[in-house]
Amino acid sequence: MLGNFIYYNPTKLYFGTEVEKNLHDALNNFGKKVLLVYGGGSIKNNGIYATVTKVLKETDKEVIELSGVMPNPTLAKLLEGVKIAKENDVDLILAVGGGSTIDYSKGVAAAAWYDGDAWENFWVKQNEPAADQKVIPVGSVLTLAGTGSEMNGGSVITDEEHKLKLGKVFGERLIPKFAILNPEYTFSLPQNQMVAGIFDIMSHIMEQYFSGDDDSTSDYLAEGLMRSLIASSRVAIKDPKNYEARSNIMWIATWALNTLIGKGKRQDWMVHMIAHTIGAFTHATHGMALSAISAAYYRLIMKFGVHRFARFAKVVWEIPAEGKTESELAAAGIDALENWIKEIGAASNVSVLGVTSDMIDDIAAATILGGGYKQITKEDIVEILKNAVK
């Protein structure tokens, strides 16, 4: 394991089907005023809204509702939520939904009592709330497995006007205090949303895994999670209501991005940076933007971390090494990844997301640069996008 680190996560996870009992227990730890945040209203059709509001009433909470959180939450929507949260002086923000709803709720929680330009301070400058600034506790009822937002401090917000989609990973004060994880709540998702979530999980793991070549315990954990995800995805695609598969996927999503498997790792995150920019330009579903560029990105950087890519092929995809050079084995692993993307029905090129050739330079110019095995340039991103266009 590399470096010195501290691991702490304050989220209390309630896993399984006893939602009412678990939510009762969780809500008893917070004050009377609850800001109930959700998206487009699907929770009213599948019964989740009725269950949550029943428990809120039974626990004598005063509920202020904030609906309409979109898949890529915008700065304008964030400011709407900030105004509502502050005016009502809420004691808890309860996010019912997937990663976008929970990300959004953390953003509101951080910004509501900040006296200044929250976007500039938190997302552009990447500052934390001051120690003496009030932040609102966040809890969640998860309905879509993918982002791991239920157990991390991440909050991704889009400034539509300037085509900027920025993520801020807040410290422990903004990590949800509790998360209700019922795999059955993911059953009613459309297949494309389930698939997008599955690839989002895979990408989170790969962003942490493809860095360094030391013998790190974190990598063994990551390999196990990837193997389980691949196996469970194949079951869930054929049988979306298979509880075992969906419960595994939900649990993997949480552990993929609660910072555990990133400890002792340098990490990469360039696939996410490019995908965020694509999302800012096209409003593409995040998981699909990740799947559309992953193979092209990893083919570009493979030679700079060939040993790790060969290990990925051998351990995760069980590709025999016999008769192959290390580079050939590494390339076979990326081929296997691309084949799996197509197998589960995720986007395998950026054209299906609405990216056209004349957007490529602008997307490359707007992408925040970084990298793991290789420091990425604007020219590299142009090459990646051209290779990801069908």
Side-chain angles (χ1 to χ4, degrees):
M1 300 291 288
L2 297 176
N4 304 303
F5 58 82
I6 296 170
Y7 181 73
Y8 170 73
N9 197 303
T11 306
K12 184 172 185 177
L13 296 175
Y14 297 84
F15 194 94
T17 58
E18 296 181 333
V19 172
E20 291 189 37
K21 174 178 177 292
N22 293 334
L23 190 54
H24 264 280
D25 178 74
L27 289 172
N28 284 333
N29 298 311
F30 300 93
K32 188 176 182 65
K33 289 188 177 182
V34 176
L35 181 62
L36 178 62
V37 179
Y38 55 96
S42 62
I43 63 167
K44 292 186 175 180
N45 298 324
N46 57 26
I48 296 173
Y49 175 87
T51 298
V52 170
T53 52
K54 175 175 179 283
V55 177
L56 286 165
K57 184 176 180 180
E58 289 171 350
T59 50
D60 196 30
K61 302 299 183 185
E62 179 183 333
V63 180
I64 301 96
E65 294 196 20
L66 173 56
S67 62
V69 178
M70 59 286 289
N72 292 300
T74 64
L75 177 56
K77 188 67 178 178
L78 177 76
L79 296 178
E80 176 192 338
V82 164
K83 184 174 184 291
I84 293 170
K86 189 171 183 178
E87 286 179 348
N88 290 278
D89 192 12
V90 299
D91 300 303
L92 173 72
I93 300 175
L94 180 61
V96 182
S100 294
T101 303
I102 304 171
D103 275 21
Y104 171 83
S105 296
K106 284 179 274 188
V108 172
W113 294 101
Y114 175 69
D115 186 18
D117 185 339
W119 170 256
E120 180 71 18
N121 187 53
F122 298 131
W123 284 270
V124 176
K125 293 183 177 177
Q126 294 284 296
N127 291 326
E128 283 289 313
D132 61 351
Q133 185 209 309
K134 178 181 176 180
V135 298
I136 305 168
V138 175
S140 70
V141 177
L142 189 64
T143 64
L144 190 157
T147 68
S149 191
E150 66 276 5
M151 203 180 184
N152 66 45
S155 177
V156 180
I157 301 295
T158 300
D159 178 350
E160 286 189 299
E161 181 183 352
H162 299 99
K163 290 185 166 55
L164 280 175
K165 184 175 180 180
L166 300 178
K168 164 63 180 170
V169 181
F170 288 103
E172 63 188 56
R173 294 173 72 200
L174 272 302
I175 296 174
K177 303 303 181 187
F178 67 87
I180 308 292
L181 277 62
N182 178 7
E184 291 181 347
Y185 278 9
T186 67
F187 285 2
S188 62
L189 283 173
Q191 183 113 336
N192 68 316
Q193 289 187 28
M194 177 183 72
V195 169
I198 288 169
F199 196 83
D200 197 8
I201 301 165
M202 187 68 167
S203 186
H204 290 158
I205 302 170
M206 293 190 297
E207 296 274 31
Q208 297 167 90
Y209 180 75
F210 288 122
S211 64
D213 282 318
D214 58 307
D215 188 35
S216 170
T217 297
S218 293
D219 292 324
Y220 290 88
L221 294 171
E223 287 163 350
L225 291 173
M226 286 188 282
R227 288 167 60 92
S228 180
L229 180 65
I230 293 161
S232 294
S233 73
R234 286 171 168 156
V235 175
I237 292 300
K238 295 177 180 177
D239 181 8
K241 293 189 178 181
N242 184 292
Y243 183 87
E244 183 175 72
R246 298 303 288 271
S247 65
N248 284 337
I249 291 167
M250 180 173 261
W251 194 234
I252 297 162
T254 300
W255 289 95
L257 202 59
N258 65 2
T259 77
L260 177 68
I261 64 169
K263 294 306 179 186
K265 302 289 297 177
R266 290 194 295 270
Q267 307 187 32
D268 189 329
W269 296 105
M270 271 313 303
V271 172
H272 271 69
M273 293 301 99
I274 301 169
H276 281 170
T277 310
I278 290 171
F281 275 74
T282 68
H283 297 290
T285 301
H286 178 58
M288 295 302 189
L290 294 169
S291 66
I293 60 170
S294 285
Y297 176 75
Y298 289 128
R299 286 195 176 100
L300 180 81
I301 69 164
M302 183 193 77
K303 64 183 178 183
F304 301 99
V306 66
H307 181 70
R308 174 54 49 82
F309 281 94
R311 173 173 165 173
F312 174 69
K314 186 165 53 177
V315 177
V316 175
W317 297 106
E318 299 181 332
I319 298 171
E322 186 178 353
K324 298 181 183 68
T325 65
E326 192 170 51
S327 293
E328 288 170 341
L329 182 58
I334 299 174
D335 289 343
L337 172 66
E338 187 170 37
N339 290 336
W340 177 68
I341 288 168
K342 294 174 181 176
E343 177 188 347
I344 64 173
S348 58
N349 65 80
V350 296
S351 300
V352 299
L353 306 177
V355 175
T356 57
S357 297
D358 59 358
M359 290 184 188
I360 288 177
D361 283 341
D362 289 338
I363 292 173
T367 299
I368 297 170
L369 300 178
Y373 289 121
K374 181 185 189 299
Q375 178 66 39
I376 297 301
T377 65
K378 176 188 171 183
E379 291 70 29
D380 289 328
I381 296 175
V382 169
E383 181 182 347
I384 291 162
L385 291 170
K386 286 182 176 177
N387 288 333
V389 171
K390 186 174 181 181

